[in-house]
């Protein structure tokens, strides 16, 4: 405990904590729409495309983050257009993003003068090396995504629940779909620095899946998922400081552990309610009908 407190006196741990909290709050706010649309793994696909942008940035000696944002945004829009036109299944489109994206990233990084350590930082995250500029970027983009997800919640819920009904209702379905794709790309890019492209989807999906065990309405599920993501971010950084483990992986481990614990508690509570004896119904007195009434 004292070791963790002493580590948080350093600026790099404070920046790591702030970044993890922002991402832990933002990723589930977006992820709930992806889960509703049965696109839980799209974060992985876009993350692999972002890796191609990172490789291009390292190869051409430009900002890897900017190139990752560009590549991820293009990939997200392409997969949305493919899904909308229905020329191929969503699973196939995601598979193409998975394999093509990571293969392109590895090839481009290999062609550059960068070492494998640079690639590992984006594959598995390097939150403890985040600078003030990185944290400001994460905060600005994360806030923009969060405001969009909360402010446009009724419209985004409509297209996620029933796209045809939303179109008949007059909502700009295509524009909202593209917006959701772009915000997914942005979230993947800012989370890539924290947990890496191999673990991005976990922060989008696991808190939502955990919240669904104990909530029913969409609004309550969203709020609970954001709270769980916030907890996973803070507790994961704390665990990393105590056990000297990778911060990004620690955040995901805490999120999965929360899912297991809450799921077991929810199942146990349901069994207790089913086995609890129900009170016998109180018999009502027979109705008396008076003659001449």
């Amino acid at each position: 405990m004292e070791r963790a407190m002493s580590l948080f006196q350093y600026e790099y741990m404070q920046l790591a904590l702030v970044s993890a909290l922002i991402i832990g709050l933002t990723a589930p706010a977006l992820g709930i729409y992806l889960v509703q649309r049965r696109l839980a793994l799209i974060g992985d696909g876009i993350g692999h495309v972002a890796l191609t942008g990172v490789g291009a940035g390292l190869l051409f000696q430009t900002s890897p983050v900017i190139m990752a944002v560009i590549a991820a945004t293009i990939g997200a829009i392409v997969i949305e257009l493919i899904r909308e036109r229905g020329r191929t299944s969503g699973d196939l489109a995601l598979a193409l993003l998975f394999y093509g994206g990571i293969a392109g990233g590895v090839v481009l990084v290999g062609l550059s003068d960068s070492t494998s350590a640079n690639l590992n930082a984006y594959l598995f995250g390097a939150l403890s090396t985040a600078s003030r500029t990185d944290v400001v970027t994460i905060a600005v983009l994360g806030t923009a995504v969060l405001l969009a997800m909360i402010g446009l919640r009724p419209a985004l819920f409509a297209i996620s629940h029933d796209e045809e009904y939303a179109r008949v209702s007059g909502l700009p379905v295509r524009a909202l779909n593209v917006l959701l794709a772009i915000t997914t790309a942005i979230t993947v890019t800012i989370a890539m620095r924290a947990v890496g492209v191999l673990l991005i989807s976990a922060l989008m999906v696991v808190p939502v899946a955990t919240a669904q065990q104990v909530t029913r309405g969409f609004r309550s599920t969203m709020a609970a998922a954001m709270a769980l993501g916030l907890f996973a971010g803070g507790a994961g950084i704390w665990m990393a400081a105590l056990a000297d483990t990778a911060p990004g992986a620690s955040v995901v481990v805490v999120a999965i552990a929360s899912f297991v614990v809450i799921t077991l508690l929810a199942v146990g509570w349901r069994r207790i309610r089913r086995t609890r004896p129900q009170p016998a119904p109180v018999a009502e007195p027979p109705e008396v009908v008076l003659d001449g009434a």
Side-chain angles (χ1 to χ4, degrees):
M1 187 70 67
E2 294 180 358
R3 180 176 181 274
M5 292 298 296
S6 62
L7 285 176
F8 279 104
Q9 296 176 359
Y10 297 101
E11 185 182 32
Y12 76 94
M13 286 301 296
Q14 297 172 3
L15 295 176
L17 178 61
V18 172
S19 302
L21 291 176
I22 295 173
I23 295 170
L25 191 65
T26 303
L30 169 69
I32 189 170
Y33 299 106
L34 302 181
V35 172
Q36 188 76 17
R37 294 163 66 94
R38 301 183 184 276
L39 292 173
L41 295 180
I42 193 173
D44 281 331
I46 296 177
H48 287 71
V49 174
L51 188 62
T52 299
V54 171
L58 295 175
L59 178 62
F60 299 111
Q61 296 182 353
T62 58
S63 172
V65 175
I66 294 177
M67 295 299 292
V69 171
I70 295 173
T73 302
I74 294 174
I77 294 175
V78 168
I79 193 174
E80 175 56 36
L81 293 177
I82 292 175
R83 187 197 65 82
E84 180 183 348
R85 294 179 181 272
R87 293 181 178 177
T88 185
S89 66
D91 290 340
L92 179 58
L94 281 176
L96 292 174
L97 284 177
F98 263 67
Y99 305 131
I102 196 168
V106 171
V107 168
L108 291 176
V109 172
L111 292 175
S112 67
D113 297 330
S114 302
T115 62
S116 59
N118 291 329
L119 180 61
N120 289 335
Y122 292 99
L123 285 174
F124 304 104
L127 191 56
S128 58
T129 62
S131 64
R132 289 188 178 183
T133 303
D134 294 332
V135 175
V136 170
T137 302
I138 291 173
V140 172
L141 295 179
T143 301
V145 172
L146 195 61
L147 291 176
M149 295 302 100
I150 295 177
L152 298 175
R153 180 170 53 197
L156 292 175
F157 171 76
I159 66 168
S160 300
H161 182 68
D162 191 338
E163 193 168 296
E164 291 301 324
Y165 177 79
R167 184 175 286 107
V168 172
S169 300
L171 291 174
V173 173
R174 174 173 292 182
L176 291 171
N177 283 333
V178 172
L179 173 64
L180 201 57
I182 293 175
T183 52
T184 302
I186 293 173
T187 304
V188 165
T189 305
I190 64 175
M192 179 175 60
R193 185 69 175 174
V195 298
V197 298
L198 299 182
L199 298 173
I200 285 175
S201 280
L203 283 182
M204 294 183 178
V205 175
V206 175
V208 177
T210 306
Q212 287 177 338
Q213 305 301 313
V214 293
T215 59
R216 294 187 179 182
F218 184 85
R219 182 179 299 180
S220 59
T221 301
M222 185 178 189
M226 292 169 62
L228 289 167
L230 198 64
F231 167 76
I237 297 299
W238 185 269
M239 186 181 80
L242 284 176
D244 194 20
T245 55
S250 301
V251 171
V252 175
V253 167
V254 171
I256 295 176
S258 300
F259 171 79
V260 173
V261 171
I262 292 178
T263 300
L264 292 176
L265 291 175
V267 170
W269 174 247
R270 294 190 192 103
R271 289 183 177 179
I272 291 174
R273 291 189 63 182
R274 284 198 300 264
T275 57
R276 182 182 298 176
Q278 299 295 326
V282 179
E284 296 183 358
E287 183 178 358
V288 178
V289 179
L290 301 177
D291 293 338

